[in-house]
Amino acid sequence: MALNVEQSGNSMILSLGPQHPSTHGVLQVLTQIEGETIVRADPEIGYLHTGIEKSAENLFWTQASTVIERMDYLSPLTNALCYILAVEKLLGVTDRIPERAQQLRVMLSELSRIASHCVWLGTGGIDLGAISPFFYAFDLRENILDLFEVSGGARMHPNYLRIGGLREDIPQGFLDRLDELIAKFPGRMRDLRKLLQNNPILQDRMVDVAILEPADALAWNITGPSLRASGIAYDVRKAYPYSGYEQYDFDVPTRTEGDAYARFLVRLDEMEQAMRIVEQARRKLVGGSVMIDDTKIAPPPKETIALSMEALIHHFKLVSESFRVPPGDVYQAVEGPRGELGYYLVSNGDNRPWRVRTRPPSMYNLQVLKKLAIGELIADMVVCIGSLDPVFGEVDR
Amino acid sequence: MPSPQAPPLGNRAVDPTAVRPPLDDATIERIEPAQLHARLAALRADGFTVLLDLGAVDYLDRRPRFDVIYHLLKLPLDATTPQKAGRPPRMRLLCGVDEGVKLQTATDLWPSADWAEREVFDLFGIIFEGHPDLRRIQMPNDWEGYPLRKDYPLRGPALEKTPRPEFALKSNLVAGTPASGKTAAALAKQIAKARGQSGA
């Protein structure tokens, strides 16, 4: 299709995907191989393109976060958080978000980072033939999804964050279950590390495979754990703190090797750091409201709607025509599980966004496959893809 | 035809650069298409090692119609700790482009511009000269129109272009519920219609 090459004597073209268990979604990689060595790789994306940006432009500011959560379906909260922070910046209400809402946002987005890394860890293990870690990782993920379910009502796409705060306060029992998870986590991480980290088979497959030099990582626009595994400690949470991240004490794990194993270790360390932040947020959690005190943005409390006509009208206005956002453009970035997730929003003063542009970390991270896979063995292609951790909902949007 | 759900058009498409409140950490600069590549090269030489993102906005009634937006990040190679990385400066270049105006590619400066430019081409129809492989990336190769333009309808073309293979149509007929005459008739009608389209 796209790979126009002159067939030389020994080379052969192999299409990996789009339906292949270790492409982590619908990715097709047209590879040219000589013997077992990859001499050219051309990823074809777009199989999952659903026009989310276009849809978001046709929805109210409040509704758009629902479709935006569907982009990175492994950590939907992070997407919603980034979009909502951008809208709040445009509205000029960033400083007025209640402390409790901010702490819960941090807590939930770190939990979704762990949940997302659990999928990467489990499926990455399966790629290399390690089946059992998958169950350990998904069991941990299940506990986190349970927490999303009690707080937001849904496991995958809770749609719990709102412009101005959270939809509602966390229910009773949430913190107890969180404490159970916090207590369980270190043991589970030990198990996972024991199963994988020093596993000689895994090391054989990952060490010195798909090395990404720091200069290349920058030129190819790699962010997140993959960049930090190449020795560059760029983390949006430290560089441009949002939602009060500057108040939390955490490290940015880095490695210098830049190979698949380094990316693996950085993500494992990151899970532990994420849990550190969750614990701190749990300890610091203050009381109070979880929604901004601004009737232009926040809907009236549910219980007042049946009693007061004004509240009913207010609610009706917000639901039927939402609110207007002052004109302007803004770029907001957060540190997603895959790297810098950014939203560039343009408002023309209407109740719908004029433009929602995503900076999809997965897409840019995946693009480097064109360079990374060259010279590797065809069997290592799955390691290359797995170590970059792409999510195709976000690559294709 | 704009979709009925599209936001009101006309003079409402404002240029945000004219009204932008001071919100951002980034330095913002507007640039003409002719100077774009030289400016990008100068910034690259100045240490803007990362082309964070490249996107476009369609302002429809404005002249020039489109904005192509470059987000740059000045991240040094020796930023091995968060302290050393600090707050790397961000830069945003906005380049107004009218329909038919071609931009010079940035792939020679940052290889990561490859897919980003292909996406802007695919969804907005803006052409990047010198791009090594400028073809559609998200939409199928034979797609018509540029979906993220504001005058492109939300629902896209009315007919599905991809013809269904013959065996799929046949298996539908068998696997359907033919016993109650109504469903079977409706199904047969649908299939005949689909066949007519795929045959055309």
Side-chain angles (χ1 to χ4, degrees), chain A residues 67-116:
Chain A
V67 288
I68 279 164
E69 278 203 339
R70 266 81 184 158
M71 283 191 194
D72 180 351
Y73 44 76
L74 294 183
S75 66
L77 271 160
T78 324
N79 279 284
L81 176 66
C82 185
Y83 167 77
I84 282 167
L85 285 173
V87 179
E88 284 169 357
K89 231 181 189 180
L90 270 176
L91 283 165
V93 298
T94 312
D95 304 331
R96 289 161 50 205
I97 309 301
E99 184 66 19
R100 186 177 172 83
Q102 299 216 16
Q103 288 169 334
L104 286 170
R105 281 177 177 185
V106 166
M107 187 192 283
L108 290 168
S109 66
E110 290 307 315
L111 282 174
S112 56
R113 184 185 316 279
I114 299 172
S116 164

Side-chain angles (χ1 to χ4, degrees), chain B residues 85-181:
Chain B
R87 255 179 107 82
R90 287 175 190 272
M91 178 105 195
R92 190 192 302 160
L93 284 184
L94 296 110
C95 181
V97 192
D98 234 327
E99 234 169 313
V101 176
K102 290 175 183 172
L103 282 182
Q104 213 176 330
T105 180
T107 45
D108 52 337
L109 302 169
W110 296 275
S112 65
D114 184 349
W115 281 9
E117 285 178 357
R118 273 176 68 188
E119 195 177 292
V120 170
F121 162 72
D122 184 6
L123 304 176
F124 288 93
I126 296 168
I127 296 188
F128 292 87
E129 264 180 321
H131 189 285
D133 184 23
L134 196 66
R135 61 193 159 88
R136 288 193 182 268
I137 182 164
Q138 304 285 15
M139 309 304 289
N141 280 333
D142 55 352
W143 198 263
E144 281 170 27
Y146 303 104
L148 273 184
R149 286 190 176 188
K150 283 285 174 183
D151 50 8
Y152 189 92
L154 176 63
R155 300 253 169 192
L159 299 175
E160 198 181 323
K161 282 274 174 64
T162 318
R164 299 198 63 192
E166 203 70 2
F167 65 84
L169 301 172
K170 273 181 195 154
S171 68
N172 268 357
L173 196 61
V174 178
T177 43
S180 79

Side-chain angles (χ1 to χ4, degrees), chain A residues 221 240 329 354-355 370, chain B residues 20 51 56 88 114 119 150:
Chain A
N221 200 355
Y240 297 94
D329 65 337
W354 182 261
R355 174 84 172 101
K370 281 190 277 192
Chain B
R20 181 194 297 108
L51 174 65
D114 184 349
E119 195 177 292
K150 283 285 174 183

Side-chain angles (χ1 to χ4, degrees), chain A residues 124-167:
Chain A
I126 285 189
D127 285 351
L128 304 181
I131 306 287
S132 10
F134 179 83
F135 299 106
Y136 286 81
F138 265 62
D139 176 54
L140 186 61
R141 176 179 158 83
E142 207 57 33
N143 294 133
I144 295 171
L145 295 187
D146 284 349
L147 284 175
F148 289 166
E149 191 175 3
V150 281
S151 59
R155 286 152 40 85
M156 284 289 275
H157 300 290
N159 200 19
Y160 183 48
L161 309 186
R162 287 285 187 275
I163 297 167
L166 303 174
R167 191 176 70 203

